[in-house]
Amino acid sequence: MFFEEQERLEKEKKSWENKLLEKTLSKYPERKDKFVTGSNREVKGLYDPTDIKELDYLEDLGFPGAYPFTRGVQPTMYRGRLWTMRQYAGFGDAEESNKRYKYLLKNGQTGLSIAFDLPTQIGYDSDHPMSHGEVGKVGVAIDSLRDMEILFDGIPLDKVSTSMTINAPAAILLAMYIVVAEKQGIPEEKLEGTIQNDILKEYIARGTYIYPPLPSMRLITDIFEYCSEKLPRWNTISISGYHIREAGSTAVQEIAFTLANGIAYVDAAVKKGLDIDQFAPRLSFFFNAHNDLFEEVAKFRAARKLWADIMKNRFGAKDPKSMMLRFHTQTAGCTLTAQQPDNNIVRVTLQALAAALGGTQSLHTNSRDEALSLPSQKSVRIALRTQQIIAYESGITETVDPIAGSYYVEKMTKEIEDAAMDYIDKIDQLGGAPKAIEKGFTQREIQNSAYEYQKDIESKKRVIVGVNQFQSEEEPIKDLLKVNPEIEKKQIKKLQEVRQNRNETEVKEKLSLLKDAAESGKNIMPFILDCVRNYALLGEICNQMREVFGEYKESLKI
Amino acid sequence: MKKSRIRVLVAKPGLDGHDRGAKVIARALRDAGMEVIYTGLRQTPEQIVETAIQEDVNVIGLSILSGAHMYLFPRIIDLLNERGINDILIIAGGIIPVEDIAELKKMGVREIFTPGTDTKRIVEFIEKNVS
């Protein structure tokens, strides 16, 4: 903006404030003393060109597909290809989940997203004492390659991309996926998909850790190394803010803590001697989408810009692909209410819209009944249809980054970027993300935000429709999904059959070689692949590494 | 004379890692003047009962969102019964389907607070029901 133009604008604004605005306010005061976003950041009544006078279009926004990627990671975004519609699913045993995947693919879903049960995620076989009552509950139970073969039966792995929410045992599930593909006659270099493989946020917010941070980071960098040579189209990690936000963080904390974790992974890989432009293009991210539409869009844009800057200037990446923050989004489970569950469809619509306006690469939309139980088939279909309506009917996909240039959104993008950078600086001062987690800093910040949020709801500073206002009596939703209680027995029986039919000597030998590799520091992937091929159980493989690496125990502060 | 403070064990049974609710409630109960002990994640029923006895609590608050409540809650109640303990108030929260709530109450879980519950309601419930 030219200087004179700006001066005129500021003069006109003053005059508007003094005459029109003040008169209105004296007659009709505003509804609240202070207006805030969903994450408690103050919002002004009006944004205008003076708010973005520092904004430099080329430097701060640029063009889509080019540095700093604020407007998106591809030049044409959804005009070229829509986001991948990827519903997170899995429950019971492999047979049942296989049916659900086929159902979703038939209904127009374009990628798979596998939910594993907690014993699988924590490295216990289904017959382990800690697994009682948990088998097949929040996802599918996988004990051995046998289960994976059933899970993907009739689904050609060169035709789908598969995302697996697996962290501590990520190397094992990836190995099983590779071997299933092998058996389908598909070479590993053709495989497309993602493993979550983000252990740091497990210590912070999600809780499915096994080993302490140091050996866990080593497993992660082993995977980076293996995949950069053998699976060039595989996303080796999905650095996740989703669970950090679910645990109660603000939007700023979500991206700040996620990017700080990202920095720690890149640091570890560089220290191992990997070339940044070899592995960084396969790093991916995973964020949450809440109800505050504009704040969420600003958050996604700020995250892209920050990561591009970090990769280029902090780590000296040369390949633009290393600087691109590609991300998956899931709508916010924690905003769903048990009361008047149909209202959740509307919340999910707003959140999905934010994700699409924010330029997501893939999206999971939650189902209306998730505050009550696992989603029913009907609810899942509505959730998928919600994405399809946004994609095909809303018109927002027809141009790139349609809300760029909004005074409010651009201002907020900058504010979120700055606030997140302050956190990243603070974490650097504490010695990096693993140290900040060890000291409990990250967890405490999130807990404080969660508690503030709850207090705001209880004092009605924040209105949640159907919960603290507009309550009404409703018939509970019928036909909630129930996991068959016989699953656990069935799964244990299957596991025993696998044990009986495998070559025990071979399994023992491969497991012992794996243990040696864990001790020696060799890349662990080939050894895990050998164990998996011989039907070693997930728990057995994890136990070998438990013996070498030890187990993590959280230190508690509330 | 001042009444002694109510002691509450907030516990996360099983493998579930969702601890936002448990931590928020632990803090709300503490702000309401109670003594709160939080177990942290991955507690077996045996560990929870042992801690409750060691810490001499008046209340056990169980939080679970993984769907394993129909196995873990009854197990905790059985263990308490085996040890002859019947003066601890047991309450719970999380993602618990309506039909399970009725059954759990029959087994001895006194109240179940589902998502959206005001923490003040939980405080009042505890104050009213701790003998």
Side-chain angles (χ1 to χ4, degrees), chain A residues 456-500:
Chain A
D456 284 350
I457 293 172
E458 297 187 0
S459 66
K460 299 204 179 172
K461 259 210 283 205
R462 214 172 263 289
V463 171
I464 311 288
V465 172
V467 174
N468 64 1
Q469 265 206 49
F470 315 114
Q471 294 100 325
S472 56
E473 285 301 315
E474 271 206 11
E475 278 283 295
I477 296 194
K478 298 255 164 54
D479 61 26
L480 289 174
L481 184 127
K482 257 204 130 60
V483 176
N484 178 1
E486 294 302 304
I487 286 286
E488 191 162 321
K489 276 188 217 143
K490 207 175 141 197
Q491 191 62 26
I492 291 173
K493 198 166 153 252
K494 205 172 4 162
L495 179 159
Q496 284 161 347
E497 281 165 16
V498 167
R499 270 209 192 100
Q500 277 157 17

Side-chain angles (χ1 to χ4, degrees), chain A residues 134 207 209 246 451 458 554, chain B residues 15 20 31 41-42 66 119:
Chain A
E134 311 269 14
Y209 41 73
E246 285 292 297
Y451 196 49
E458 297 187 0
E554 68 173 338
Chain B
L15 301 179
R20 175 180 182 166
D31 282 359
L41 302 179
R42 293 194 206 170
S66 74
T119 56

Side-chain angles (χ1 to χ4, degrees), chain A residues 131-147:
Chain A
S131 303
H132 277 330
E134 311 269 14
V135 176
K137 284 280 161 48
V138 301
V140 58
I142 301 292
D143 289 311
S144 74
L145 178 63
R146 183 77 202 107
D147 295 313

Side-chain angles (χ1 to χ4, degrees), chain A residues 201-468:
Chain A
K201 65 92 177 55
E202 296 296 328
Y203 306 122
I204 297 173
R206 195 169 171 276
T208 69
Y209 41 73
I210 303 177
Y211 317 110
L214 215 60
S216 296
M217 295 293 275
R218 177 252 171 126
L219 287 176
I220 291 168
T221 50
D222 277 2
I223 293 172
F224 286 1
E225 186 178 45
Y226 180 85
C227 291
S228 72
E229 289 162 17
K230 312 266 186 174
L231 279 83
R233 292 150 87 177
W234 195 266
N235 296 314
T236 51
I237 192 167
S238 172
I239 308 165
S240 306
Y242 184 80
H243 319 89
I244 291 174
R245 191 72 180 278
E246 285 292 297
S249 86
T250 63
V252 166
Q253 289 168 341
E254 178 190 353
I255 63 166
F257 298 156
T258 307
L259 298 186
N261 289 348
I263 290 169
Y265 295 124
V266 174
D267 263 334
V270 168
K271 268 198 199 111
K272 191 188 172 82
L274 304 185
D275 171 20
I276 189 149
D277 287 321
Q278 274 289 311
F279 72 85
R282 297 320 301 174
L283 306 178
S284 66
F285 289 82
F286 173 21
F287 292 115
N288 207 313
H290 273 235
N291 290 329
D292 191 320
L293 184 73
F294 293 122
E295 183 176 47
E296 294 301 300
V297 179
K299 174 191 80 179
F300 295 127
R301 299 170 86 244
R304 265 195 301 270
K305 180 164 180 245
L306 276 166
W307 187 246
D309 173 54
I310 289 165
M311 291 308 285
K312 187 178 180 180
N313 300 315
R314 180 175 179 143
F315 289 110
K318 299 274 182 296
D319 184 349
K321 285 202 173 73
S322 304
M323 305 168 201
M324 283 181 195
L325 181 145
R326 296 172 299 120
F327 67 100
H328 172 68
T329 307
Q330 180 171 335
T331 57
C334 67
T335 65
L336 303 183
T337 63
Q339 298 79 3
Q340 305 176 30
D342 283 346
N343 296 348
N344 293 327
I345 297 172
V346 185
R347 293 189 177 98
V348 167
T349 307
L350 280 170
Q351 297 164 5
L353 186 63
L357 287 169
T360 197
Q361 277 58 61
S362 60
L363 178 62
H364 165 101
T365 33
N366 288 60
S367 299
R368 60 184 170 152
D369 45 1
E370 283 180 44
L372 302 162
S373 81
L374 281 180
S376 68
Q377 190 133 310
K378 187 177 169 204
S379 299
V380 172
R381 193 173 59 223
I382 297 173
L384 177 59
R385 294 288 180 254
T386 305
Q387 298 199 31
Q388 291 164 336
I389 290 168
I390 292 173
Y392 294 100
E393 299 184 25
S394 75
I396 61 148
T397 50
E398 314 301 276
T399 188
V400 177
D401 191 24
I403 64 170
S406 145
Y407 306 122
Y408 179 39
V409 171
E410 294 301 357
K411 175 71 174 174
M412 196 153 40
T413 303
K414 181 77 178 114
E415 283 176 359
I416 291 177
E417 182 195 333
D418 291 345
M421 205 55 225
D422 287 346
Y423 260 124
I424 292 171
D425 287 341
K426 202 177 277 173
I427 289 168
D428 281 338
Q429 283 161 22
L430 290 170
K435 276 272 171 323
I437 295 164
E438 200 181 297
K439 288 180 177 140
F441 167 79
T442 317
Q443 298 91 313
R444 245 181 343 265
E445 290 290 305
I446 298 169
Q447 279 167 40
N448 288 342
S449 301
Y451 196 49
E452 286 308 309
Y453 186 82
Q454 180 65 24
K455 285 201 295 197
D456 284 350
I457 293 172
E458 297 187 0
S459 66
K460 299 204 179 172
K461 259 210 283 205
R462 214 172 263 289
V463 171
I464 311 288
V465 172
V467 174
N468 64 1

Side-chain angles (χ1 to χ4, degrees), chain A residues 16 23 25 57 78 81 111 114 118 136 209 217-218 220 231 264 334 341 450 454 509 533 555:
Chain A
W16 170 81
K23 208 168 112 194
L25 285 175
Y57 181 82
Y78 306 135
R81 198 175 72 82
I114 316 299
L118 285 166
Y209 41 73
M217 295 293 275
R218 177 252 171 126
I220 291 168
L231 279 83
C334 67
Q454 180 65 24
E509 192 203 313
R533 268 192 203 103
S555 63

Side-chain angles (χ1 to χ4, degrees), chain A residues 5 116 334 435 514:
Chain A
E5 201 185 323
F116 296 101
C334 67
K435 276 272 171 323
L514 167 68

